[in-house]
Amino acid sequence: MMDLSKYVTYLISFFRRLRIRAFRAMGGDGGTEEELTAQETALYDRQIRVWGVDAQKRLSKAHVLVCGVNGTTIEFCKNIVLAGVGSLSLMDDHIVTEDDLSANFLIPHDVCMQGVSSRAEACCESLKDFNPMVRVAVAIGDPSLIDEGFVDRFDIIVVSCASLKTKLFLNDNCRKRSKHIAFYSVECKDSCGEIFVDLQNHSYLQKKPGGEPEQQELTYASLQEAISVPWKNLPKKTTKLYYATRVLESYELSEGRDPGETGLSDLPAVLAWRKDMCDRMSLSESQIPTALLERLLAAGKKEHPPVCAILGGILGQEVIKSISCKGDPIKNFFYYDAADGKGIMEDIPPTPVEQFA
């Protein structure tokens, strides 16, 4: 039986050979922009049949920044590189450790043993092998210190394993720019996951059964607006994961901790924090079960690879929807829990119709 590291190495090598052969067969040794368009059309033939030539053109011109390289975001990166995004920049200066190997399948074991490569550097070359027509690069820096000029270089920004303060900072920066920049955050805590989406003002085509596609308009809340909604105003069926995540990120922010630095030893303090938040928000503590908080605290920074694959696949699909302006996007939270295998979408703040559902 082939071990995982050897299988991943074989898989990357296979994709590299396949893509390079196709690239060369279509004259990909340098040429004009028109020739490159023909190469893309031939290389992405199957997916063009699914979402059309126009969507593929939009995708090939899109520039994506991923802040925080982990098991979930690397699944996302793999998906959009194979789909043919224009460029992908990875920002994560943290040095690779053995813990990263548990969920990030692109980090070779020998890189971990050397202890000199950042997470972004360790994954960059492997992602290039998946599709040599996509520009993949390392962006050196701290996401919490990104300036506005740097943000302007991208159409999509995805953030993970960052503090709430950093996420709010980046989301606010995206909204301040004159160009449209879509913002996503994604987190995986062992068997649970959350995706947040802010497309600001988004127009897209919605398919109608037996009819012509119709133009739809959506207006999104910022992350700050979405987490500031009084809990008493939320629908009764709002997922417990939404509340539990808000409790943990609020506690970590108050303690000045990064995501995952809070553990089971902090449970008494977290339960006291839950009580205080529920009292202020007029919500029963039963909506945030202690067992759920225990699971999230026990996870720490650990990711469950199958959940990473699910979240990374959904996030990749959502980014392609956003770029192509086709299909109903998530608005604006998505939650997944492997305990029941359910994925739930929450629209927060709710519309007046949903408010008391």
Side-chain angles (χ1 to χ4, degrees):
M1 181 177 178
M2 187 182 295
D3 64 40
L4 181 59
S5 62
K6 289 182 179 178
Y7 174 71
V8 170
T9 301
Y10 165 78
L11 188 64
I12 292 172
S13 177
F14 171 77
F15 273 110
R16 181 183 63 185
R17 293 195 303 269
L18 187 64
R19 294 281 180 173
I20 290 176
R21 285 174 184 171
F23 187 58
R24 287 174 176 168
M26 293 176 290
D29 296 319
T32 66
E33 188 173 345
E34 290 182 1
E35 289 174 344
L36 183 61
T37 301
Q39 293 158 8
E40 290 175 335
T41 301
L43 189 59
Y44 305 127
D45 176 65
R46 289 187 179 183
Q47 57 206 48
I48 287 174
R49 297 182 195 187
V50 176
W51 55 57
V53 174
D54 182 61
Q56 189 64 44
K57 285 181 179 178
R58 289 172 183 250
L59 191 62
S60 67
K61 294 177 182 178
H63 305 289
V64 180
L65 171 66
V66 173
C67 300
V69 177
N70 54 24
T72 303
T73 55
I74 214 63
E75 289 280 358
F76 161 73
C77 290
K78 174 203 67 179
N79 293 331
I80 62 166
V81 165
L82 289 174
V85 72
S87 73
L88 171 66
S89 297
L90 306 175
M91 179 177 285
D92 193 327
D93 295 342
H94 292 88
I95 299 299
V96 172
T97 67
E98 194 168 348
D99 291 340
D100 294 315
L101 299 177
S102 62
N104 191 331
F105 66 91
L106 281 189
I107 298 179
H109 188 267
D110 58 343
V111 170
C112 171
M113 298 302 291
Q114 294 167 7
V116 294
S117 296
S118 69
R119 293 172 185 162
E121 290 169 336
C123 297
C124 184
E125 292 304 316
S126 295
L127 284 169
K128 289 179 181 178
D129 287 341
F130 277 113
N131 190 346
M133 293 184 71
V134 174
R135 299 183 300 278
V136 184
V138 173
I140 298 173
D142 183 343
S144 66
L145 301 176
I146 288 177
D147 60 43
E148 295 174 347
F150 184 76
V151 169
D152 276 337
R153 293 164 50 185
F154 302 97
D155 305 292
I156 307 285
I157 293 183
V158 176
V159 186
S160 189
C161 47
S163 67
L164 175 61
K165 183 178 179 181
T166 297
K167 291 176 182 177
L168 292 172
F169 167 75
L170 288 172
N171 186 211
D172 187 53
N173 258 355
C174 290
R175 285 183 153 256
K176 286 179 177 178
R177 310 318 299 149
S178 57
K179 66 177 288 189
H180 182 275
I181 304 175
F183 174 87
Y184 298 81
S185 71
V186 59
E187 298 295 343
C188 177
K189 282 186 171 290
D190 196 27
S191 59
C192 300
E194 176 191 69
I195 296 174
F196 170 76
V197 181
D198 178 13
L199 303 182
Q200 302 180 43
N201 297 310
H202 181 62
S203 302
Y204 69 100
L205 291 176
Q206 182 186 61
K207 286 185 177 181
K208 295 291 184 180
E212 291 295 318
E214 292 183 3
Q215 187 81 12
Q216 301 291 331
E217 305 283 338
L218 288 178
T219 300
Y220 282 73
S222 68
L223 179 57
Q224 181 66 71
E225 292 167 338
I227 65 174
S228 300
V229 179
W231 289 353
K232 64 181 179 181
N233 293 344
L234 295 178
K236 295 178 182 178
K237 293 182 180 180
T238 300
T239 178
K240 293 175 172 58
L241 263 175
Y242 170 82
Y243 298 119
T245 303
R246 304 288 78 80
V247 168
L248 284 186
E249 70 184 8
S250 174
Y251 177 77
E252 288 172 342
L253 184 64
S254 71
E255 295 292 313
R257 301 182 189 180
D258 288 331
E261 290 185 353
T262 305
L264 274 176
S265 61
D266 297 292
L267 181 60
V270 171
L271 292 179
W273 197 264
R274 176 189 66 178
K275 183 179 186 309
D276 180 64
M277 289 188 72
C278 286
D279 288 345
R280 286 188 286 110
M281 296 283 194
S282 302
L283 183 77
S284 170
E285 289 185 65
S286 64
Q287 288 293 102
I288 316 174
T290 299
L292 177 57
L293 289 173
E294 286 179 336
R295 284 173 57 204
L296 296 176
L297 288 170
K301 296 182 179 182
K302 185 172 64 175
E303 298 175 286
H304 191 40
V307 178
C308 292
I310 292 169
L311 294 173
I314 291 171
L315 183 57
Q317 174 181 283
E318 289 304 310
V319 166
I320 290 172
K321 285 182 190 176
S322 169
I323 295 169
S324 66
C325 297
K326 291 184 177 181
D328 296 303
I330 287 175
K331 183 174 185 291
N332 51 346
F333 285 96
F334 175 83
Y335 291 93
Y336 179 78
D337 189 346
D340 57 19
K342 292 181 180 178
I344 299 173
M345 187 168 66
E346 298 285 2
D347 185 2
I348 299 174
T351 62
V353 176
E354 298 171 318
Q355 187 166 334
F356 300 103

